Amino acid sequence: MTQQPNWSERFESALHPAIARFNASINFDIELIEYDLTGSIAHAKMLGKCDIIPPAEAEQLVAGLEQIRQEYREGKFNPGIDAEDVHFAVERRLTEIVGDAGKKLHTARSRNDQVGTDTRLYLRDQIQQIRSQLREFQTALLDIADNNVETLIPGYTHLQRAQPVSLAHHLLAYYQMLQRDWERLGDVSRRVNISPLGCGALAGTTFPIDRHYTAELLKFDKVYANSLDGVSDRDFAIEFLCAASLIMVHLSRLSEEVILWASEEFRFVTLKDSCATGSSIMPQKKNPDVPELVRGKTGRVFGHLQAMLVIMKGLPLAYNKDLQEDKECLFDSVNTVKGCLEAMTILLKEGLEFRPQRLASAVASDFSNATDVADYLAAKGVPFREAYNLVGKVVKTSIAADKLLKDLTLLEWQQIHPAFQEDIYEAIAPRQVVAARNSYGGTGFAQIEKALLAARTEIAF
Ligand code: ARG
């Protein structure tokens, strides 16, 4: 049976059913129910404490709200479209449970400050969950890095072989990106954790409420200082979506690398069966669906960020119904980031098998040690640019002769420049090329050991 809307006394006729469906948010804002109940419980307690309603009635409200929580968890609370949104749905059910006292819950409150409160409580919780998922992901990266300090992999610029690096160093780069994401979410959290409760519809309230008390009950750090701002601010959501987008950028870049590495052209990694998929027609295929999906889903999160910016840009103060559109942007982004982090963590933990022989032969069969020849001469006093030009010429003639630098004889080296000695061979061996880059933050093994230790210490807290 369709119930009358809350404002039926003011209106002559009922809402058109299609308009009711269009207007309703219950289909998706039911996601907020636990936070709505928590927020309402704090509000009810405050109403009792401040003698705005009799304390006994406040207790009745709290008990009724807890009962709704129970019903919801048992799958027995399933409000329909006629409820419009989660806030009306809860108030209606509360009045069924506790009678007329239920009608007092909304004293000194509006759905505008209520929904703002719910959304912030939800996001605060989700940020915490995402941060701990980031930690798991970082741990998985460190575990692989620990075992691969001495595994060398071609390093690229412009996707052209540049200089070899340690695989651990490569993975530690992602560790650092994810560390900034973890920190960024902590920063965002500080601006999510501000209470709009008590801002009312837009202008505050005539009742002697205690906003600091509800903020304290709900563990908010502070309260919005301006009621108009409190009900219409969604900066916190946009900031979260920025942070979420950056997490996705990082996951997507790693995904792209895994996809390349697993290709026949690279063959740096084999995908384990538990994390790969087959083709319906080509029997030989093993597809990297997980990183491809992560790369694809990145676009969704960027889209939500863009949507939210556009939703906000033209809104006059204070609340406008446009703001109802924030929820699906947030929920879908949260679920996407969490899903991607979970899948990518599993992929790291058990889905990738690096191919050490293939990697070793890759770094031994290119000119990615050319800089080291130039550095060798520069260390012996040849001006770097001169050394660079000499080596450029050597590379050109070696390619023409189908040789690598390691194939040149000492005589040939000395014809290029008399400073070359027997130790040039050691200097251009891949392992030495990597070990020698021992500047702070470089790929030298000693640096990596320090970086690993620092990372382990960092995430221990
Ligand atoms: N469902 C609404 C939303 O998500 C709740 C607030 C409605 N406020 C109002 N003044 N109509 O934004």
Side-chain angles (χ1 to χ4, degrees), residues 149-368:
V149 174
E150 307 257 340
T151 309
L152 310 187
I153 185 170
Y156 297 83
T157 63
H158 314 267
L159 203 54
Q160 303 288 321
R161 295 271 181 96
Q163 290 165 353
V165 294
S166 153
L167 176 55
H169 192 56
H170 196 109
L171 297 174
L172 279 166
Y174 285 101
Y175 169 90
Q176 294 293 343
M177 297 175 218
L178 276 295
Q179 177 60 21
R180 289 194 296 278
D181 290 329
W182 185 87
E183 288 170 11
R184 200 171 355 257
L185 281 180
D187 293 343
V188 173
S189 222
R190 293 196 294 127
R191 279 170 300 279
V192 170
N193 207 25
I194 306 174
S195 174
L197 192 56
C199 288
L202 74 165
T205 173
T206 55
F207 291 95
I209 59 170
D210 184 346
R211 290 188 59 201
H212 293 94
Y213 179 64
T214 45
E216 193 186 308
L217 289 179
L218 296 170
K219 300 191 173 62
F220 280 116
D221 295 332
K222 52 181 184 175
V223 300
Y224 274 88
N226 179 294
S227 62
L228 293 164
D229 181 37
V231 290
S232 57
D233 172 29
R234 293 296 182 274
D235 300 7
F236 73 94
I238 293 176
E239 264 194 76
F240 168 77
L241 293 171
C242 285
S245 296
L246 282 169
I247 294 174
M248 293 305 296
V249 168
H250 297 148
L251 294 184
S252 187
R253 293 185 76 182
L254 178 59
S255 295
E256 173 63 16
E257 295 208 293
V258 170
I259 293 162
L260 286 173
W261 291 345
S263 71
E264 192 59 28
E265 285 67 21
F266 279 74
R267 286 185 287 133
F268 290 172
V269 83
T270 305
L271 293 174
K272 300 268 197 63
D273 290 359
S274 63
C275 295
T277 48
S279 151
S280 63
I281 171 172
M282 296 166 282
Q284 85 284 9
K285 290 294 288 292
K286 203 174 196 189
N287 293 330
D289 284 20
V290 171
E292 286 176 295
L293 275 172
V294 170
R295 192 177 55 185
K297 285 173 189 289
T298 300
R300 267 167 95 135
V301 177
F302 292 2
H304 292 314
L305 168 62
Q306 184 65 19
M308 205 57 227
L309 286 165
V310 176
I311 288 166
M312 294 307 292
K313 75 176 275 289
L315 288 191
L317 295 183
Y319 179 86
N320 299 268
K321 188 78 170 197
D322 314 44
L323 293 178
Q324 181 165 287
E325 290 292 308
D326 66 353
K327 284 163 210 64
E328 286 161 295
C329 290
L330 278 180
F331 299 164
D332 188 62
S333 299
V334 162
N335 293 336
T336 302
V337 169
K338 285 165 78 176
C340 289
L341 275 170
E342 184 185 20
M344 285 298 277
T345 304
I346 294 170
L347 184 70
L348 284 181
K349 279 188 173 161
E350 58 172 79
L352 300 180
E353 201 173 348
F354 283 95
R355 303 174 67 172
Q357 282 182 343
R358 167 73 197 146
L359 288 167
S361 75
V363 294
S365 54
D366 60 20
F367 288 89
S368 60

Side-chain angles (χ1 to χ4, degrees), residues 40-62 65 94 98 100-108 207-209:
S40 288
I41 287 170
H43 180 68
K45 285 183 177 167
M46 184 280 293
L47 291 177
K49 177 185 115 46
C50 297
D51 277 325
I52 297 169
I53 64 171
E57 283 186 342
E59 278 172 32
Q60 265 184 293
L61 294 180
V62 172
L65 290 162
L94 183 66
V98 305
D100 279 350
K103 297 180 185 166
K104 294 192 178 174
L105 175 67
H106 215 51
T107 315
F207 291 95
I209 59 170

